[in-house]
Amino acid sequence: MSRLDREADAFRASMAAAASKLTGTTGTSAMSSAVKRNLAPPSPSPSVGSTTSAAVGTPSRRDRELPGANIVYSQPAVTGTGDSVISQMAYAVTWLRGKDEPQTYHDVLSYLSATGRSDSEQEFFVEQMRRHPQIQWIPDPNLSEQTWKTGTYIHRPTIPNVRNKTQLIAYLQKKTDASGVSVKDLKDGWPDCEPAITELEREHKVLVIRAKKDGAARMVWLDDPSLFHEVEPDLVRAWGRVELPALDVIAQKLIQAGQKPASEDPRLKAEKMPKVEKKKKRAARKGTKSTNTHMEHLLKDYSHMKR
């Protein structure tokens, strides 16, 4: 075999090896691309089946969510009376405020769902109730010795024993000063007191100060119906037709009569007066001792140049 034949055989062998490698790589790449196509995410466009099922009435994903998934947990709903003594005491006061009859300790603990606690915890809570300023403990008159389970409890309002119009008038008459009564304090023991206050106001038995925004009653004073006299409409119209002079004219007439008008502002009078400039007096210089005595031979004397 000649040299040329050997080189031709070697070239054909190398070409065959290259062709086999190329065929294997192409098959592998084709298989990997097929796997990738199988693992690719579904198209966002709806298919025919999905649109058909939606048209029939299949519930959407949002409708299939569990109930309560859209609850905002940063603002939870009030579902109980709490676990601390302070929160439970506040609920107990609010509950007793709405009760007209005294309640036993068991009634209060049942409302707070605390009857399953130990006797020591219940006793501690009852002791705190008896010390609370807005809760009144009524001992059992049939027992000589009282325990933590005896007696009843009732709300102690800010203004006690005022729950109707007659009691309100009696309370205002007993007051020794001219101070009014806050409607907020009245509502602590008489929540629906505003209609009664309005009726008493119409009867001229109380004086009421109301808010400008909503007209709600704020303060109440005692009034005397005998001091109220109805004025005839003709007199009211005649009074409205009287023309009053201007304030400047009234002030001038009072000054001419030798009287000082109440509307005169002393600050305006001070502004009208001419201002006299006060000369500032120069403070006399106090004599001081010279401290640089060791340098007297070096310093010059300027005392003769004083004004």
PDB file of all heavy atoms in Angstrom, residues 120-134:
ATOM      1  N   SER A 120     -58.597  29.897  94.210  1.00  0.00           N
ATOM      2  CA  SER A 120     -57.695  30.998  94.596  1.00  0.00           C
ATOM      3  C   SER A 120     -57.744  32.129  93.574  1.00  0.00           C
ATOM      4  O   SER A 120     -57.747  33.316  93.950  1.00  0.00           O
ATOM      5  CB  SER A 120     -56.262  30.468  94.737  1.00  0.00           C
ATOM      6  OG  SER A 120     -55.814  29.897  93.505  1.00  0.00           O
ATOM      7  N   GLU A 121     -57.795  31.800  92.292  1.00  0.00           N
ATOM      8  CA  GLU A 121     -57.885  32.838  91.260  1.00  0.00           C
ATOM      9  C   GLU A 121     -59.237  33.553  91.316  1.00  0.00           C
ATOM     10  O   GLU A 121     -59.297  34.778  91.179  1.00  0.00           O
ATOM     11  CB  GLU A 121     -57.672  32.214  89.876  1.00  0.00           C
ATOM     12  CG  GLU A 121     -56.271  31.691  89.651  1.00  0.00           C
ATOM     13  CD  GLU A 121     -56.099  31.051  88.285  1.00  0.00           C
ATOM     14  OE1 GLU A 121     -57.113  30.806  87.606  1.00  0.00           O
ATOM     15  OE2 GLU A 121     -54.960  30.801  87.891  1.00  0.00           O
ATOM     16  N   GLN A 122     -60.308  32.813  91.535  1.00  0.00           N
ATOM     17  CA  GLN A 122     -61.613  33.450  91.650  1.00  0.00           C
ATOM     18  C   GLN A 122     -61.688  34.342  92.883  1.00  0.00           C
ATOM     19  O   GLN A 122     -62.247  35.442  92.834  1.00  0.00           O
ATOM     20  CB  GLN A 122     -62.706  32.371  91.711  1.00  0.00           C
ATOM     21  CG  GLN A 122     -62.840  31.557  90.433  1.00  0.00           C
ATOM     22  CD  GLN A 122     -63.977  30.554  90.512  1.00  0.00           C
ATOM     23  OE1 GLN A 122     -64.878  30.687  91.330  1.00  0.00           O
ATOM     24  NE2 GLN A 122     -63.939  29.540  89.649  1.00  0.00           N
ATOM     25  N   GLU A 123     -61.126  33.883  93.985  1.00  0.00           N
ATOM     26  CA  GLU A 123     -61.136  34.692  95.207  1.00  0.00           C
ATOM     27  C   GLU A 123     -60.343  35.983  95.022  1.00  0.00           C
ATOM     28  O   GLU A 123     -60.749  37.053  95.482  1.00  0.00           O
ATOM     29  CB  GLU A 123     -60.565  33.881  96.365  1.00  0.00           C
ATOM     30  CG  GLU A 123     -60.615  34.620  97.697  1.00  0.00           C
ATOM     31  CD  GLU A 123     -60.074  33.760  98.835  1.00  0.00           C
ATOM     32  OE1 GLU A 123     -59.716  32.572  98.571  1.00  0.00           O
ATOM     33  OE2 GLU A 123     -60.013  34.267  99.972  1.00  0.00           O
ATOM     34  N   PHE A 124     -59.197  35.890  94.332  1.00  0.00           N
ATOM     35  CA  PHE A 124     -58.401  37.089  94.081  1.00  0.00           C
ATOM     36  C   PHE A 124     -59.170  38.091  93.224  1.00  0.00           C
ATOM     37  O   PHE A 124     -59.160  39.296  93.498  1.00  0.00           O
ATOM     38  CB  PHE A 124     -57.088  36.700  93.386  1.00  0.00           C
ATOM     39  CG  PHE A 124     -56.250  37.866  92.972  1.00  0.00           C
ATOM     40  CD1 PHE A 124     -55.514  38.585  93.901  1.00  0.00           C
ATOM     41  CD2 PHE A 124     -56.203  38.266  91.640  1.00  0.00           C
ATOM     42  CE1 PHE A 124     -54.741  39.670  93.518  1.00  0.00           C
ATOM     43  CE2 PHE A 124     -55.443  39.346  91.252  1.00  0.00           C
ATOM     44  CZ  PHE A 124     -54.706  40.048  92.194  1.00  0.00           C
ATOM     45  N   PHE A 125     -59.875  37.597  92.211  1.00  0.00           N
ATOM     46  CA  PHE A 125     -60.643  38.505  91.348  1.00  0.00           C
ATOM     47  C   PHE A 125     -61.792  39.150  92.123  1.00  0.00           C
ATOM     48  O   PHE A 125     -62.086  40.334  91.946  1.00  0.00           O
ATOM     49  CB  PHE A 125     -61.178  37.747  90.139  1.00  0.00           C
ATOM     50  CG  PHE A 125     -61.884  38.607  89.133  1.00  0.00           C
ATOM     51  CD1 PHE A 125     -61.166  39.358  88.211  1.00  0.00           C
ATOM     52  CD2 PHE A 125     -63.273  38.692  89.117  1.00  0.00           C
ATOM     53  CE1 PHE A 125     -61.813  40.167  87.295  1.00  0.00           C
ATOM     54  CE2 PHE A 125     -63.926  39.488  88.209  1.00  0.00           C
ATOM     55  CZ  PHE A 125     -63.195  40.233  87.289  1.00  0.00           C
ATOM     56  N   VAL A 126     -62.452  38.385  92.984  1.00  0.00           N
ATOM     57  CA  VAL A 126     -63.560  38.938  93.782  1.00  0.00           C
ATOM     58  C   VAL A 126     -63.040  40.015  94.737  1.00  0.00           C
ATOM     59  O   VAL A 126     -63.681  41.058  94.936  1.00  0.00           O
ATOM     60  CB  VAL A 126     -64.268  37.804  94.543  1.00  0.00           C
ATOM     61  CG1 VAL A 126     -65.252  38.375  95.566  1.00  0.00           C
ATOM     62  CG2 VAL A 126     -65.016  36.901  93.567  1.00  0.00           C
ATOM     63  N   GLU A 127     -61.876  39.814  95.319  1.00  0.00           N
ATOM     64  CA  GLU A 127     -61.298  40.835  96.200  1.00  0.00           C
ATOM     65  C   GLU A 127     -60.996  42.116  95.433  1.00  0.00           C
ATOM     66  O   GLU A 127     -61.212  43.226  95.944  1.00  0.00           O
ATOM     67  CB  GLU A 127     -60.026  40.289  96.851  1.00  0.00           C
ATOM     68  CG  GLU A 127     -60.284  39.190  97.873  1.00  0.00           C
ATOM     69  CD  GLU A 127     -58.995  38.642  98.450  1.00  0.00           C
ATOM     70  OE1 GLU A 127     -57.913  39.099  97.989  1.00  0.00           O
ATOM     71  OE2 GLU A 127     -59.060  37.781  99.338  1.00  0.00           O
ATOM     72  N   GLN A 128     -60.517  41.982  94.203  1.00  0.00           N
ATOM     73  CA  GLN A 128     -60.252  43.168  93.396  1.00  0.00           C
ATOM     74  C   GLN A 128     -61.552  43.874  93.005  1.00  0.00           C
ATOM     75  O   GLN A 128     -61.593  45.106  92.903  1.00  0.00           O
ATOM     76  CB  GLN A 128     -59.465  42.773  92.134  1.00  0.00           C
ATOM     77  CG  GLN A 128     -58.112  42.152  92.419  1.00  0.00           C
ATOM     78  CD  GLN A 128     -57.223  43.048  93.262  1.00  0.00           C
ATOM     79  OE1 GLN A 128     -57.140  44.252  93.035  1.00  0.00           O
ATOM     80  NE2 GLN A 128     -56.550  42.456  94.240  1.00  0.00           N
ATOM     81  N   MET A 129     -62.624  43.119  92.806  1.00  0.00           N
ATOM     82  CA  MET A 129     -63.914  43.728  92.504  1.00  0.00           C
ATOM     83  C   MET A 129     -64.417  44.554  93.673  1.00  0.00           C
ATOM     84  O   MET A 129     -64.963  45.648  93.496  1.00  0.00           O
ATOM     85  CB  MET A 129     -64.946  42.651  92.151  1.00  0.00           C
ATOM     86  CG  MET A 129     -64.954  42.240  90.700  1.00  0.00           C
ATOM     87  SD  MET A 129     -66.552  41.515  90.198  1.00  0.00           S
ATOM     88  CE  MET A 129     -66.795  40.265  91.433  1.00  0.00           C
ATOM     89  N   ARG A 130     -64.231  44.045  94.874  1.00  0.00           N
ATOM     90  CA  ARG A 130     -64.703  44.777  96.053  1.00  0.00           C
ATOM     91  C   ARG A 130     -63.915  46.061  96.292  1.00  0.00           C
ATOM     92  O   ARG A 130     -64.416  46.984  96.927  1.00  0.00           O
ATOM     93  CB  ARG A 130     -64.626  43.873  97.287  1.00  0.00           C
ATOM     94  CG  ARG A 130     -65.581  42.681  97.217  1.00  0.00           C
ATOM     95  CD  ARG A 130     -65.507  41.825  98.466  1.00  0.00           C
ATOM     96  NE  ARG A 130     -66.428  40.679  98.375  1.00  0.00           N
ATOM     97  CZ  ARG A 130     -66.603  39.776  99.345  1.00  0.00           C
ATOM     98  NH1 ARG A 130     -65.912  39.891 100.482  1.00  0.00           N
ATOM     99  NH2 ARG A 130     -67.454  38.791  99.177  1.00  0.00           N
ATOM    100  N   ARG A 131     -62.696  46.126  95.798  1.00  0.00           N
ATOM    101  CA  ARG A 131     -61.871  47.326  95.951  1.00  0.00           C
ATOM    102  C   ARG A 131     -62.055  48.320  94.812  1.00  0.00           C
ATOM    103  O   ARG A 131     -61.553  49.446  94.891  1.00  0.00           O
ATOM    104  CB  ARG A 131     -60.396  46.926  96.046  1.00  0.00           C
ATOM    105  CG  ARG A 131     -60.049  46.062  97.243  1.00  0.00           C
ATOM    106  CD  ARG A 131     -58.587  45.647  97.201  1.00  0.00           C
ATOM    107  NE  ARG A 131     -58.238  44.760  98.311  1.00  0.00           N
ATOM    108  CZ  ARG A 131     -57.034  44.218  98.461  1.00  0.00           C
ATOM    109  NH1 ARG A 131     -56.078  44.460  97.569  1.00  0.00           N
ATOM    110  NH2 ARG A 131     -56.802  43.429  99.485  1.00  0.00           N
ATOM    111  N   HIS A 132     -62.728  47.913  93.761  1.00  0.00           N
ATOM    112  CA  HIS A 132     -62.865  48.785  92.589  1.00  0.00           C
ATOM    113  C   HIS A 132     -63.797  49.958  92.911  1.00  0.00           C
ATOM    114  O   HIS A 132     -64.873  49.759  93.498  1.00  0.00           O
ATOM    115  CB  HIS A 132     -63.410  47.992  91.396  1.00  0.00           C
ATOM    116  CG  HIS A 132     -63.167  48.657  90.082  1.00  0.00           C
ATOM    117  ND1 HIS A 132     -63.960  49.674  89.589  1.00  0.00           N
ATOM    118  CD2 HIS A 132     -62.196  48.458  89.159  1.00  0.00           C
ATOM    119  CE1 HIS A 132     -63.494  50.060  88.427  1.00  0.00           C
ATOM    120  NE2 HIS A 132     -62.433  49.342  88.131  1.00  0.00           N
ATOM    121  N   PRO A 133     -63.416  51.189  92.531  1.00  0.00           N
ATOM    122  CA  PRO A 133     -64.257  52.345  92.875  1.00  0.00           C
ATOM    123  C   PRO A 133     -65.584  52.400  92.142  1.00  0.00           C
ATOM    124  O   PRO A 133     -66.507  53.085  92.588  1.00  0.00           O
ATOM    125  CB  PRO A 133     -63.374  53.539  92.498  1.00  0.00           C
ATOM    126  CG  PRO A 133     -62.417  53.009  91.477  1.00  0.00           C
ATOM    127  CD  PRO A 133     -62.167  51.586  91.858  1.00  0.00           C
ATOM    128  N   GLN A 134     -65.731  51.669  91.026  1.00  0.00           N
ATOM    129  CA  GLN A 134     -66.975  51.698  90.262  1.00  0.00           C
ATOM    130  C   GLN A 134     -67.851  50.476  90.508  1.00  0.00           C
ATOM    131  O   GLN A 134     -68.842  50.292  89.811  1.00  0.00           O
ATOM    132  CB  GLN A 134     -66.666  51.816  88.761  1.00  0.00           C
ATOM    133  CG  GLN A 134     -66.098  53.168  88.363  1.00  0.00           C
ATOM    134  CD  GLN A 134     -65.900  53.285  86.872  1.00  0.00           C
ATOM    135  OE1 GLN A 134     -65.170  52.502  86.251  1.00  0.00           O
ATOM    136  NE2 GLN A 134     -66.555  54.247  86.262  1.00  0.00           N
TER     137      GLN A 134
END
